[in-house]
Amino acid sequence: MHGEALGPANPALVAHPGAPAVFVFDRELIVQAGLSLKRLGFLYECLLELPVTLRHGDVAEEVLAFARRHGADGVVTTAAVDPRFALLRERIAAQLPVQVLEPEPFVELPESVDLARFSRYWRRAEPVLWARAGAAAPPAPARRWDR
């Protein structure tokens, strides 16, 4: 498991119910990105609701050690957009086959969206989600500069 797919609908968990699963708190990422205790606490609380073993350290090393302890002949995970994911997958795949499952999209948009800003994505995604639910989107709250 990784931080982009923390939920019971994670395709790897769904495809292999009951299989051993691990989440590694990436020590290098935590330091480089300066993740706050609040963010780490949120991740931890999400993970407590899932059937996973928690570890911390070097992700590839921890995943491979976990796989060895469980006699695994491969690793199954869910796709991620974070570029670090590809590097970690390559390191793991050098020792064990890695299967990457695609998640269901949260919402399908007619055109691509710049994911660098959540607000840009949400302005396009929210009306699609409300329409899918059969309801009109609530009016947007007034912004300070709109008043």
Side-chain angles (χ1 to χ4, degrees), residues 56-130:
H56 67 87
D58 179 284
V59 174
E61 288 177 13
E62 290 293 330
V63 169
L64 288 166
F66 185 82
R68 281 191 296 275
R69 275 193 300 278
H70 291 280
D73 59 359
V75 173
V76 179
T77 189
T78 305
V81 297
D82 183 343
R84 288 177 54 79
F85 178 80
L87 299 171
L88 293 166
R89 185 185 68 234
E90 288 173 13
R91 286 182 56 205
I92 295 166
Q95 295 187 40
L96 281 174
V98 177
Q99 179 184 14
V100 181
L101 303 176
E102 289 294 327
E104 289 279 327
F106 178 64
V107 62
E108 298 211 26
L109 299 175
E111 68 241 10
S112 65
V113 177
D114 175 13
L115 295 178
R117 305 282 301 174
F118 178 77
S119 59
R120 289 182 200 149
Y121 163 77
W122 190 245
R123 265 182 262 151
R124 293 208 179 136
E126 185 179 26
V128 174
L129 291 169
W130 282 104

Side-chain angles (χ1 to χ4, degrees), residues 37-51:
L37 286 176
K38 185 175 181 178
R39 175 74 176 158
L40 293 171
F42 171 77
L43 290 171
Y44 179 73
E45 287 179 3
C46 290
L47 290 161
L48 288 177
E49 297 179 13
L50 300 173

